Every structure is written in C-alpha cells, then in structure tokens.
Amino acid sequence: MTSEGTAKDQQLANFRVKADEGNLTTDQGIRVDDTDNTLRPGERGPSLLQDFHFREKITHFDHERIPERVVHARGAGAYGYFEPYDGSLSEFTKARFLTTPGLRTPVFVRFSTVAGSRGSADTVRDVRGFATKFYTDEGNFDLVGNNMPVFFIQDGIKFPDFVHAVKPEPHNEIPQAASAHDTLWDFVQLQPETMHMMMWLMSDRAIPRSYRMMQGFGVHTFRFVDAGGRSTFVKFHWKPKLGIHSLVWDETQKIAGKDPDYNRRDLWEAIEGGDFPEWELGVQLVPEEDEHKFDFDLLDSTKIIPEEEVPLRPVGRLVLDRNPDNFFAETEQAAFHIANVVPGIDVTNDPLLQARLFSYLDTQLIRLGGPNFHQIPVNRPVAPIANHHRDGYHQMFIHQGEAAQHPSTVLGGCPALATDGSAYTFYPQQVDGRTIRKRAESFGDHYSQATLFWNSMSVWEKKHIVAAFRFELGKVTRSHIREGVVRNLAHVDHHLAVAVAEGIGVAPPERAEETHKRSSPALSQATDPVRGVATRKIAILAADGVDASDVMLVTESLGGRGAVCEVLAARDGAVQGAGGERVEVAKALTTTGSVLYDAVYVPGGDKSVATLGEDGDALHFITEAYKHGKAVAGSGAAAQALLERAGVAVPAEGVVTGDAAASEFTDAFTEAVASHRHFNRDSEHVPA
Ligand code: HDD
C-alpha cells in the first residue's frame, strides 16, 4: 500500500532502504562480486579468515534475533490514523488528539496473542493484545489494551506467577500457546480473582474470527484531565465496524495446522485489498465524585463498568490503512509503554496499572538492547525530542553542542522548560496512608461479575463456555485441580458448575448457591447488531461441467457486496463449464479447507455435482462447514441432494437452496453469510 502522507509516514520515509536497486555491498559499502563461495586457497582448500565478506555475512546472521516479548510474543501490526468526531470531549480532557475535530493522528497498532512464542499459531484460545501507539503532536500516547475488558489478577506483583502458570510447563516446555494444562488451572483454583477473566477466556472472545472483528479495551480506569485541572475517570473501548465475531473451537485447532498465520494474514490481506479495518473509540466517563458509588472498586481491573450503568460515549474512529514495510523493523521492534501518556490523560492507583508503569520500560531495555529504543523509526514520536539524554547503545542521533546539562549557560538555557501550560503535569492527587501490603476490602468480591457475564450469555454462548471448560480441564492431569476449579465455578453459577463437573469426572456440587440474576446484554456477542458480508470468504465448489452462470451470479452478487468468492476444485488451474466456458480455479481443495472460509456454495451442473459427490475432500468440506455453523448454499436438485448426502439438513437455518438467478436466492444467501454463524439450527451438529 502507498502511505497516506501523515507526519509519521514522512518521518518513516527517511529510513526506507530499497532492496531492489544498486550493487551488492558489504556493510562498509564495498562492492561484492560473489556471495556464494567462500575465499579459499585452491578450489578444494579450507575457507580463509581474511574473507571479510563471509565473516561479516555470517556474524550479522548470527545476531539477527532479539529476545521475543516475554508475553505477547506473537503479533501483527499496521499503521493508520485516529480521527475524533468532534470537540465535545474537551469538556473532560485537554488531549488535543481527542478533541480537535478533523485532526488525523497517525497510529501504529499491534495485535497479539499472549502465551505463545513468536512462531506459534494465531488461532489458539487466548487473550488478544490490542496495543495502539498514537503519534500525537503532543508526544506519543500508548493505549496498551486487550480484547477483553478485565484481567486475571488485581495486583501486578502477581503477573510473573500468572505468566509462569499459563506458559508451557518448565520441565518439558509443553504445551505451546495453550492454557489447557495443570499449572494454569492450579493458579486459577487457588486465585479466585481470576474467575471473571476465566469466563471471558472460556468464551468465544478468546478465538476471534479476525483481529478486524474484535473489541479492544484499555481495561484499567484511567483519568481524563481538562484544561482547568478537573479530573474524570475514564475507561477506553474499541468497537469494530465489522462486528464482534468468533471462530468455533474445533475450527481453530484445525486452522492452527492449515494456516497458523490465519489472523495475521487476514489483517494483511484486508489492508492490501483496500478493505481498511475500522474501530470506533468509545469512553465510559465517571465523575471524580462518583468514585465510590459502584458495588465494586473502580481501581480493580477484574471488574467492568456495565454499559447499562455507564453508557459508552462515541469519540472517534481508528482506521488501519497501511501494512508495515518490514516485519522485524516495525512490528517486532515496536515498543509500547503504558506510561506513555499525553497532557489530558493520567493514570490511577489501580495496582495492576501501577506495576505495568514499571514493567514496560524495563522490558524494552533488555529486548531492544539499551535506552535508545525510542529512536527506532516505529517508536519515534512525531513531536520533537529535545533533552540531555546522551550516549548509550545504538545511539542514532548526533547531538550537537558543547554541553548536555540543565541548567547551563553554555547552551543559553536550552532546551527551555515549557512554562506556557503545554507541559505534561500530573494530576495533583491527594495520597495519604501507612505503608502496608494489603488488598483493599473493596477488591474482595471475585464472583458477582463472573456471574453477570454468565447470565448475559445466549444459549449457544453458554454451550461453548461449558465445552471450553470441559476441554481445558479435561487436559488437567491432577484431579484435585479439576475439583478446585469446579468449587470456584459453583460460586459463579450452579448449572455451569454441574455441566462442567459432569464432563470431567468430578462430583457436581450438590447444593445450588445463591447467585444474582442480573445481566448485561452488551456482553453477549449474540446481541451484536452489526451484520454484513464485507470481506467474508465464500468457497464455491466446482468440477468440470459446472454451471458457469451460477458461479458468475453468486460471485457478482455477493462479491458486489464485498465478499471474497473463490472457486475451489480438485486441481488448480481451471474447470470447464457446462457450456464450454473456462472457470478459473482459485485454489485446489487439497491446499485449503472449509475452516478457512465463512460459507460454502455448490453451483448447479449435474456432471460437476456428480464429480464432487465422488470426492471425499469436497464432501468433507461441506459437512465440516455445516458442523461449524456456516452458511451453506446449493443450486438445483443435484446440488441439494449432495448437501443432504454431506449431512446438511434442508431446510435449516443458514441453509439456502434454489435458483442462483433468482434474487431471493442470492438475497437469502447474503443474509445467511451476514449472520456469521448459525448455532441454533441443529444442536446435534453444534460442537457444545
Ligand atoms: Fe502487559 C506486553 C496488555 C498487564 C507486562 N501487555 C503487553 C502487550 C499488550 C499488553 C497488548 C503487547 C504490546 C505489544 O504489542 O508490543 N498487559 C496488557 C494488559 C494488561 C497487562 C491489557 C492488564 C490490564 N503486563 C501486564 C502486567 C505486567 C505486564 C500486570 C507486569 C507487571 N506486558 C508486560 C511486559 C510486556 C507486555 C512484560 C511484554 C513485552 C512488552 O511488554 O513490550 O512488559
């Protein structure tokens, strides 16, 4: 993609190095005429130490890796911009990038999984990171959030324990990128504060269909500060324009093998194709004086503020419109830090947040090899930098001047302190108390919001959650850990605890505990009103003799509404239509799978349908798509019979049959795809 010409793009342009021009040289600029043979005395002699090109090439290669992130190692990033809708937020914050209508602030966003190594699969059950660096004209603001609004622990001092628990076990480094093992669940049973987050992790939120289809949350309560110094508590939310959609657990495990880069590829291809992903930023605002009006503590990151209690206020939009030029230089070297705040935004006493204020800078120092990582192009602010920080590993700036200190007459008092009100000032919070290691009592309720989440789920969401608990705990080898988790679940919901216990060979809790009946509809993916076929992938199964006009009608109709239609056949190349037409094949069936598509269509053409009926890959493709709740369509009697042979119920929700030339058919198929999945149509087929 071409750059949008933001200040950040102009800055980055100075660092781009073209790989497709000039002569091959060493790092010293000396031209090289042979990079395939080491220097040696005689054709069969030993390699010589004086071969500087060979030594330099190998040395550089040996040093190519940097330590991967200790968490969130696996990720994908993109550039774009943020634009506020209007200036109305200036009542609460003086942050210019949030309050200047029409001001486009360049951003870099990195999405990630948490537990897996850098080379692990994208579609594992995990939290997703959603980290945004705003290159504002007042300095960088990093909103380092996740796709879930709460966290596992309340105090950051527990973070190493939690991460050690979820990472592969230390003796054999198994399992990779998976929470289904003893140490994680042992931590969970012993730390009931994890329960709310575990509900989110066992829900479909942990297996997003796409980074473009997931929410983001700042998680903590932050502060806004207005021009007059008044503070308001704020929670940040990102809502995806394409709706909040997830995969199916069975599907994710198969995708992990068929396309481990599934989410990364999806983001890359959408941006390359001009389908720029978009989110709306919303905020929940709580006046300072209302701090204690909730039945939970605003400083407790294991709690949400239900949207029904404090509605979301839309602020602006985030658009990602450019892929990085180089993964390592940009995405891998991107360094986020929760302490990167700009005037108008401040932190709170949330003990999880406070720990993060230390951890992120510390981790970048080891990961990026010294204190000058802010000079790496992706991390550089577009706001000017001027200070007396000097030297250090990888210093890229050539600082001029005969002094590096403040105060200094040699430098004439420069750089000058900002005394005109433009400097960052901390909110003058009153702090008083005795030094103590103690959690506030207001952090003591670990179950009510886990129950709230459970109560808010639709039937199919509840089924998926039960199935997830059963899967995860089914892999736990120690029975006392399984029992401990069920005991915790009994405080969340009796039916949930019983359903999980029954699946994992644990005695179900006998007595139902008293739990509340409140719910928050905004928590359910089933109530998400956003629907659409844009960028959805539709597989068209074909063989020689296919009705080419069916293929064309569906491709034009759904393609015209933004879907991506691909013809799949036994072999790559092309198939011949019933009328002799050439129908291009996008992929051979053996190189792909139903799990990589959102819907499947079988066009008419008796010979084509008969051939597909003989093809195990094609039949499996249809059966599996149906099992995963996807839209399935067929044109003509033969195609309908083929669907039925593959186990598809006709009629059923999300199953469309009929004449491709009829607008009712394409409209119904469009509607079925737009609904994302059809989990209600046949519970026997739904993996629950
Ligand atoms: Fe963290 C990375 C999000 C708690 C310590 N974290 C990291 C990233 C995200 C988050 C999205 C990846 C950024 C990127 O793409 O480079 N972390 C969160 C959220 C948390 C949270 C939403 C809770 C609300 N994190 C948290 C705690 C600690 C850390 C409590 C330590 C006390 N996180 C780190 C880290 C990482 C990191 C070790 C690893 C790599 C990095 O920072 O740059 O410093």
Side-chain angles (χ1 to χ4, degrees):
M1 294 306 301
T2 53
S3 83
E4 283 283 292
T6 63
K8 188 65 196 171
D9 287 319
Q10 287 157 21
Q11 189 191 55
L12 288 171
N14 298 329
F15 293 93
R16 293 197 179 108
V17 179
K18 288 208 159 81
D20 58 357
E21 60 185 37
N23 284 108
L24 189 73
T25 74
T26 68
D27 282 342
Q28 304 304 319
I30 294 153
R31 290 189 177 182
V32 172
D33 65 351
D34 183 346
T35 192
D36 297 334
N37 299 290
T38 47
L39 189 70
R40 64 197 78 151
E43 285 169 10
R44 302 185 64 253
S47 300
L48 291 174
L49 204 56
Q50 73 193 62
D51 184 349
F52 55 80
H53 172 53
F54 158 70
R55 276 189 293 113
E56 182 194 71
K57 184 175 176 181
I58 297 299
T59 304
H60 199 280
F61 169 76
D62 290 344
H63 293 252
E64 275 179 6
R65 295 289 168 273
I66 60 172
E68 66 174 33
R69 289 168 175 80
V70 59
V71 282
H72 296 265
R74 168 85 186 165
Y79 292 96
Y81 60 88
F82 173 78
E83 189 173 36
Y85 293 139
D86 55 37
S88 63
L89 218 54
S90 54
E91 194 189 326
F92 303 100
T93 176
K94 60 183 175 189
R96 278 213 294 270
F97 80 101
L98 289 173
T99 55
T100 312
L103 177 68
R104 283 193 172 184
T105 296
V107 301
F108 180 77
V109 175
R110 182 173 177 273
F111 302 106
S112 48
T113 53
V114 179
S117 301
R118 196 181 141 184
S120 58
D122 279 345
T123 57
V124 297
R125 178 175 295 284
D126 201 351
V127 188
R128 298 300 185 282
F130 190 140
T132 308
K133 191 180 282 296
F134 298 81
Y135 305 96
T136 91
D137 56 14
E138 299 178 287
N140 285 354
F141 169 56
D142 291 356
L143 185 57
V144 195
N146 280 339
N147 75 328
M148 298 177 192
V150 287
F151 202 64
F152 298 94
I153 47 170
Q154 296 173 320
D155 189 321
I157 197 171
K158 295 296 301 162
F159 193 65
D161 296 302
F162 163 69
V163 173
H164 289 172
V166 71
K167 283 270 182 180
E169 295 185 7
H171 57 304
N172 56 9
E173 215 191 28
I174 296 174
Q176 176 57 239
S179 46
H181 59 110
D182 284 42
T183 53
L184 184 267
W185 289 96
D186 197 21
F187 186 83
V188 168
Q189 65 133 348
L190 296 169
Q191 297 280 150
E193 71 199 60
T194 55
M195 278 324 288
H196 186 195
M197 183 63 163
M198 291 315 288
M199 296 299 294
W200 284 83
L201 190 67
M202 293 304 105
S203 80
D204 290 357
R205 302 285 186 140
I207 44 175
R209 157 68 178 78
S210 158
Y211 290 137
R212 304 174 293 126
M213 299 174 197
M214 64 182 202
Q215 272 176 293
F217 302 90
V219 181
H220 312 285
T221 303
F222 291 83
R223 265 180 207 284
F224 271 161
V225 183
D226 73 5
R230 186 178 58 107
S231 150
T232 307
F233 292 112
V234 56
K235 290 235 187 222
F236 294 103
H237 296 241
W238 293 116
K239 273 216 165 125
K241 199 177 161 195
L242 294 173
I244 310 157
H245 301 294
S246 295
L247 298 164
V248 173
W249 178 232
D250 178 62
E251 192 184 13
T252 65
Q253 297 174 76
K254 291 169 178 163
I255 297 175
K258 287 200 179 271
D259 186 6
D261 306 299
Y262 183 76
N263 290 137
R264 176 184 281 194
R265 189 189 307 283
D266 167 273
L267 179 69
W268 180 274
E269 287 181 350
I271 294 175
E272 288 301 296
D275 291 314
F276 300 142
E278 201 172 319
W279 288 260
E280 178 170 81
L281 180 68
V283 291
Q284 286 178 298
L285 298 172
V286 177
E288 178 94 20
E289 56 274 19
D290 288 351
E291 180 175 2
H292 301 293
K293 105 173 187 197
F294 302 93
D295 59 0
F296 55 89
D297 199 316
L298 278 186
L299 302 184
D300 176 357
S301 277
T302 65
K303 305 295 185 297
I304 57 161
I305 310 178
E307 284 183 38
E308 292 75 15
E309 278 185 59
V310 178
L312 269 186
R313 181 182 170 126
V315 174
R317 64 186 193 121
L318 167 75
V319 178
L320 297 182
D321 62 359
R322 191 169 72 73
N323 282 315
D325 290 301
N326 183 281
F327 182 88
F328 178 85
E330 298 168 278
T331 309
E332 189 60 12
Q333 294 198 105
F336 294 88
H337 183 13
I338 187 158
N340 290 348
V341 284
V342 292
I345 301 175
D346 206 340
V347 298
T348 59
N349 295 347
D350 172 347
L352 192 72
L353 187 162
Q354 292 282 321
R356 296 179 73 193
L357 293 174
F358 171 75
S359 184
Y360 287 74
L361 176 56
D362 186 43
T363 209
Q364 309 309 352
L365 289 172
I366 179 82
R367 196 170 72 82
L368 296 168
N372 292 313
F373 62 85
H374 62 286
Q375 298 179 6
I376 295 171
V378 68
N379 297 324
R380 245 174 226 208
V382 295
I385 310 173
N387 56 41
H388 302 295
H389 303 167
R390 291 291 182 273
D391 309 345
Y393 283 114
H394 319 303
Q395 177 59 258
M396 298 293 151
F397 292 159
I398 304 171
H399 291 104
Q400 295 180 311
E402 291 160 50
Q405 68 197 57
H406 177 90
S408 147
T409 56
V410 176
L411 298 176
C414 287
L417 295 177
T419 51
D420 59 356
S422 62
Y424 186 90
T425 47
F426 286 93
Y427 176 68
Q429 191 196 350
Q430 178 89 34
V431 183
D432 188 24
R434 290 180 188 278
T435 308
I436 186 172
R437 284 192 196 273
K438 190 171 184 293
R439 207 73 63 90
E441 273 176 29
S442 50
F443 280 49
D445 168 18
H446 303 317
Y447 298 110
S448 296
Q449 288 211 350
T451 307
L452 182 80
F453 184 79
W454 173 254
N455 290 349
S456 310
M457 296 292 106
S458 64
V459 172
W460 60 261
E461 287 174 300
K462 285 184 174 175
K463 278 188 184 175
H464 292 187
I465 291 171
V466 170
F469 271 110
R470 285 181 172 189
F471 178 94
E472 297 267 315
L473 290 166
K475 297 228 171 190
V476 168
T477 61
R478 293 169 176 83
S479 54
H480 75 274
I481 297 179
R482 295 184 183 201
E483 287 157 12
V485 175
V486 169
R487 269 197 303 279
N488 284 350
L489 285 176
H491 298 300
V492 178
D493 183 85
H494 182 69
H495 297 292
L496 167 64
V498 170
V500 173
E502 280 174 349
I504 58 167
V506 167
E510 284 169 11
R511 216 166 25 86
E513 290 187 28
E514 196 68 40
T515 50
H516 69 80
K517 298 281 174 283
R518 293 190 303 279
S519 65
S520 168
L523 298 177
S524 169
Q525 289 179 261
T527 58
D528 181 18
V530 182
R531 304 158 63 75
V533 297
T535 75
R536 293 303 188 147
K537 293 189 80 175
I538 294 161
I540 301 176
L541 304 189
D544 284 341
V546 68
D547 185 329
S549 69
D550 280 4
V551 175
M552 199 185 69
L553 285 163
V554 166
T555 305
E556 284 185 353
S557 173
L558 276 90
R561 299 176 215 200
V564 180
C565 299
E566 291 186 352
V567 174
L568 309 181
R571 279 184 307 279
D572 227 329
V575 292
Q576 199 175 50
E581 311 88 337
R582 182 182 162 86
V583 178
E584 296 294 334
V585 172
K587 288 188 185 86
L589 269 170
T590 45
T591 66
T592 183
S594 87
V595 291
L596 303 178
Y597 292 85
D598 293 294
V600 54
Y601 171 55
V602 181
D606 288 352
K607 190 174 158 213
S608 167
V609 174
T611 308
L612 292 174
E614 300 296 310
D615 182 343
D617 287 332
L619 281 170
H620 176 69
F621 197 103
I622 299 166
T623 309
E624 199 180 41
Y626 184 71
K627 179 184 168 210
H628 292 148
K630 295 173 182 174
V632 177
S635 289
Q640 178 170 333
L642 179 70
L643 296 186
E644 285 171 331
R645 238 188 89 199
V648 176
V650 186
E653 191 189 309
V655 176
V656 182
T657 51
D659 180 359
S663 63
E664 302 88 67
F665 174 85
T666 42
D667 286 351
F669 190 32
T670 304
E671 184 57 27
V673 177
S675 299
H676 180 59
R677 296 295 165 93
H678 301 272
F679 294 126
N680 296 321
R681 68 183 169 205
D682 183 348
S683 55
E684 273 176 25
H685 288 276
V686 177

